[in-house]
Amino acid sequence: QAKGRLARIAVGICPATQPGPTAGATSHDSATPTNPELVAVQTVYGSALDRQTAGRVQEILQRSFHRDPNRKGYYIPLPEELLLRGAEKDGAIDMLLAQAARRRELWHLAFDRRDGALAALATTFEHSVRLADGSRRHILALGEVATHPDYRGRGHGAAVRPTSTFSIATHFRIHV
């Protein structure tokens, strides 16, 4: 193939019985190591998610990206009583799933082994960028990254970060 083109290879999936590919990595903001006995990571296509899981993802994203009114550029957990409900939540889930299908996103999901809850996520997708010299590069872009506020500091976010990075190597190969 042409220089710089991407070729699809097997999609790496980390079953719930295994930790992420680089367990033990630390989160940049909490320095909490990933404990494979407490966190299970799975990588799936976003378009293949069931609606209940997509609803949990929508809740995590909404709770994680609530702007702090007192500090520009900072986020604070959204109080549970302010979460979207009913038709508004259904619309947000529809938009999330449509984006996942349109961008062919891979979703890297961290589950808490103690209670089975989805605790953190990261998304990746193929993207093409134009460089200053006019050439195009195909990359695997990082989309949303979030941890449910109730699970912060326990290593869930650290678990999905190396998994999403790992997907670059397992999902694509750059021919040079």
Side-chain angles (χ1 to χ4, degrees), residues 6-121:
L6 296 176
R8 182 177 300 276
I9 60 173
V11 175
I13 297 181
C14 301
T17 57
Q18 298 176 4
T22 54
T26 57
S27 170
H28 72 285
D29 55 8
S30 68
T32 304
T34 298
N35 183 340
E37 294 178 12
L38 302 178
V39 180
V41 177
Q42 289 187 312
T43 296
V44 298
Y45 280 102
S47 59
L49 281 181
D50 61 272
R51 195 156 184 87
Q52 181 179 358
T53 303
R56 176 69 173 174
V57 166
Q58 183 277 329
E59 177 187 329
I60 292 170
L61 291 171
Q62 186 183 5
R63 292 207 59 200
S64 297
F65 294 109
H66 179 60
R67 295 187 189 280
D68 184 336
N70 300 316
R71 297 182 298 167
K72 186 176 181 175
Y74 285 84
Y75 296 90
I76 57 175
L78 179 72
E80 193 167 333
E81 62 271 10
L82 297 179
L83 288 172
L84 295 176
R85 303 216 191 285
E88 285 183 311
K89 181 171 182 159
D90 285 341
I93 294 169
D94 290 341
M95 287 181 6
L96 192 64
L97 290 171
Q99 174 179 286
R102 185 178 66 253
R103 297 196 310 192
R104 296 188 344 240
E105 293 177 343
L106 284 174
W107 289 19
H108 313 279
L109 308 172
F111 294 87
D112 188 276
R113 287 186 190 261
R114 290 168 287 203
D115 63 12
L118 175 57
L121 67 119

Side-chain angles (χ1 to χ4, degrees), residues 38-39 110-112 114 119-120 147 151 154-161:
L38 302 178
V39 180
F111 294 87
D112 188 276
R114 290 168 287 203
T147 301
Y151 292 89
R154 299 188 204 172
H156 296 87
V160 291
R161 191 183 69 224

Side-chain angles (χ1 to χ4, degrees), residues 153-172:
R154 299 188 204 172
H156 296 87
V160 291
R161 191 183 69 224
T163 301
S164 59
T165 303
F166 174 75
S167 73
I168 295 170
T170 59
H171 190 65
F172 298 99

